[in-house]
Amino acid sequence: MAGLSAMEKKLAEFKCNTNEAIQLKLVRFPEDLEDDSTTFNPEYSHQVFGDDEVAFGYKGLKILLYYNAGNLSTLFRIQYTSKVNENFDCVEADDVESKIRKIIPPGFCTSTDDFVSLLEKEVNFKPFGTLLHTYSVHNEEAGEDITYQIYQADMTCPGFREYHERLQTFLMWFIETASFIDVDDERWNYFLVFEKYNKDGATLFATVGYMTVYNYYVYPDKTRPRVSQMLILPPFQGEGHGAQLFETVHRYYMSSPMVLDITAEDPSENYVKLRDFVLVKLCQDLPCFSSEKLMQGFNQEMVTEAQQKLKINKQHTRRVYEILRLRATDMGDPEQSRGYRLDIKKRLIGPYKKKQRELAKMRRCLRPEELTNQLNQIDLNMQHEQLEESFQQLVSDYRRVLERLAQA
């Protein structure tokens, strides 16, 4: 803080990192309120508090956003040890409350007692919509299998609209470019994951995560479902729920003759890894992906069979082929390894060849000084290095998919 005045240094003490200040909980029992182990923090808060993810004007700021585990009834409270306008004249603290109110729906609690009384009504909460899939996950800590269920819902389900308003607030904290969707558009589908658990002899349900899918029209009589948002809440991450949800949703659309293929909107790196795993799992038993056919190269039969049977588009089918061919290839065999490397690089080199075609056009059209400027941006040696790096990264990603598949 060199160069700052004494006043600036003192005011800097009233800056709080909002990713640390925001404390989230999914509450099942009253004692969870005081249990720090049930607290989790956002990954992002820039969409609410700006790019710096800072709230000014407080010391010891805590923004409490606690949710009942099932119905997601909400407790919102702000705590702090000191506020800037209590210490300095003419300096205003950020209006944290109004910023949070913009994303959480009305009807939240500000009293812990009111929130706990709502917790007692959780026994009446039941999942929305139609049950699609039930599965279990072994919990080492509890020493038992825990049951989970996946449902498909829409806005005609009583109470779902209000529930969804509460659920979607999590997007702001865990998806970097999140936005709320237009729920009045009937082309949205909603898929929800719940955990079944026991409390005082009764069966209750806790929210685990969800996915939204938009059904685009494809001329003349098809639809192309596009995954828009997918989130498994942090307390449940790393347990395989994302793969269960993805596969269940994919199978839901696979069964419809109206669906052409299934895509995703601006998928994250983690989503692509998840998609790779599930699609390879679904495709590996198709006849067109036998080891013998894989070694003969990518072909139209793979595209057609994956699209017709599994609603997978050509781009994703090609990626599945590359992963399965890696499994079928003995990378210790120089000839097989070279064949695999050339096959993958032939696809990867596409953008570089495009640049070369553009360069040929430039030679004909540009003046010498303009051409020199463009050539400086196209370093062929660097292109070869980038191509090799891309290949090695792909192989590394593909091996992780195959390792996970072997453990499934």
Side-chain angles (χ1 to χ4, degrees), residues 48 95-105 169 180:
V48 179
D95 188 353
V96 170
E97 182 173 339
S98 69
K99 291 177 185 288
I100 297 292
R101 280 177 176 268
K102 286 179 181 177
I103 66 161
I104 63 172
T169 61
F180 293 161

Side-chain angles (χ1 to χ4, degrees), residues 139-157:
N139 184 291
E140 293 288 345
E141 189 176 328
E144 60 182 4
D145 290 343
I146 297 177
T147 300
Y148 298 87
Q149 294 183 330
I150 298 175
Y151 288 76
Q152 187 267 319
D154 58 46
M155 287 297 156
T156 64
C157 300

Side-chain angles (χ1 to χ4, degrees), residues 19 24 40-49 53 103 164 167-181 188 209-212 227-234 237 245 265-271:
N19 289 339
L24 305 164
F40 55 102
N41 303 96
E43 290 182 27
Y44 311 102
S45 56
H46 62 276
Q47 297 198 100
V48 179
F49 289 98
E53 297 181 322
I103 66 161
H164 177 263
L167 176 60
Q168 70 179 353
T169 61
F170 286 100
L171 297 177
M172 289 296 163
W173 313 127
F174 297 103
I175 296 183
E176 190 171 6
T177 56
S179 59
F180 293 161
I181 62 175
W188 284 107
Y210 82 121
M211 178 190 287
T212 58
V227 177
S228 174
Q229 303 157 324
M230 179 177 179
L231 177 65
I232 301 299
L233 296 171
Q237 289 175 6
L245 177 57
E265 177 186 335
D266 192 21
S268 67
E269 187 177 322
N270 286 335
Y271 181 89

Side-chain angles (χ1 to χ4, degrees), residues 148-213:
Y148 298 87
Q149 294 183 330
I150 298 175
Y151 288 76
Q152 187 267 319
D154 58 46
M155 287 297 156
T156 64
C157 300
F160 179 66
R161 180 183 292 264
E162 293 77 16
Y163 167 84
H164 177 263
E165 286 183 350
R166 298 188 290 273
L167 176 60
Q168 70 179 353
T169 61
F170 286 100
L171 297 177
M172 289 296 163
W173 313 127
F174 297 103
I175 296 183
E176 190 171 6
T177 56
S179 59
F180 293 161
I181 62 175
D182 177 11
V183 296
D184 292 320
D185 191 331
E186 295 179 356
R187 285 175 289 185
W188 284 107
N189 284 140
Y190 307 83
F191 300 89
L192 309 156
V193 188
F194 294 96
E195 176 193 332
K196 293 177 73 174
Y197 70 100
N198 293 317
K199 180 179 178 181
D200 300 328
T203 299
L204 279 73
F205 293 86
T207 300
V208 172
Y210 82 121
M211 178 190 287
T212 58
V213 182

Side-chain angles (χ1 to χ4, degrees), residues 3 8 16 19 21 28 55 80 83 128-129 135 142 158 186 199 204 217 246 251 268 272 296 302 314 361 387 402:
E8 287 172 327
C16 298
N19 289 339
R28 301 186 186 194
Y80 52 86
K83 195 171 181 179
F128 303 94
Y135 63 99
E186 295 179 356
K199 180 179 178 181
L204 279 73
Y217 167 71
F246 187 103
R251 289 185 181 279
S268 67
V272 171
Q296 293 171 8
M302 295 173 181
K314 183 177 180 179
K361 289 180 184 177
L387 188 62
L402 293 173

Side-chain angles (χ1 to χ4, degrees), residues 276-295:
D276 285 344
F277 168 70
V278 174
L279 296 190
V280 169
K281 180 183 173 188
L282 292 172
C283 286
Q284 63 182 342
D285 295 324
L286 291 179
C288 64
F289 288 106
S290 67
S291 295
E292 182 183 350
K293 291 187 176 180
L294 286 166
M295 300 307 286

